[in-house]
Amino acid sequence: MSATLPVPERVAERAKEIMSAIEADPEFSAFAAAALKYDEAWTCFTGFPVIANWDLDADKRPLLTEGLRALSLKAAVYELGGQDEDMTEIPVAVPVDEMMHAMIAQPQLLARIAERVRISVIHQTDKEHHEYAPGDYTHKAYVAAWGEPNDRYWVGHTEANRRLEILDAKYEAAGFLRSGKAHSFDFAAA
């Protein structure tokens, strides 16, 4: 990461303020409900499934909290780091990133909340980083704000890759290729 990143403790302080403001917003309940309802579209083979014993119903609420924390950290980095979009894409664990996608899929609600809270929501898929690792910049800022992250969701990059190799083998055995990006079903016979 760039040497111009703001100190993690300052980012943590601002991120907590941002998250509190988001949760206090009059449309937060509607936003949370909409993001959680996005579950019908959660078909990613490489994000949430790296969570051990993944269960959408049991995991989506805790993941919403983790996604809000990551979004708040990124908004704080953007604000305190000179509004550099590239620098703002700090490493985030794959499952948490997937939840951020569910939140960003509520653009009108999120835009209104962000405007009232006076933050910028920065998340661009081609610039995001999944190299999150315990002890990195993101981890330090998170710990300073909320304590140790839940490692059920904050799966480090090396472990996530190991799990993805296992998933790939299982997907391929079931006929799903390239981590679910292709399959061999012609639907001719049921």
Side-chain angles (χ1 to χ4, degrees), residues 14 18 22 71 75 79 113-121:
R14 182 64 183 126
I18 290 169
I22 290 171
L71 186 107
E79 181 181 303
I113 291 170
E115 183 177 343
R116 284 189 293 269
V117 174
R118 297 186 181 169
I119 61 164
S120 293
V121 174

Side-chain angles (χ1 to χ4, degrees), residues 147-164:
E148 281 296 327
N150 184 336
D151 61 6
R152 175 166 175 72
Y153 307 115
W154 286 89
V155 179
H157 180 68
T158 301
E159 177 61 14
N161 283 341
R162 185 186 75 80
R163 293 178 185 188
L164 286 171

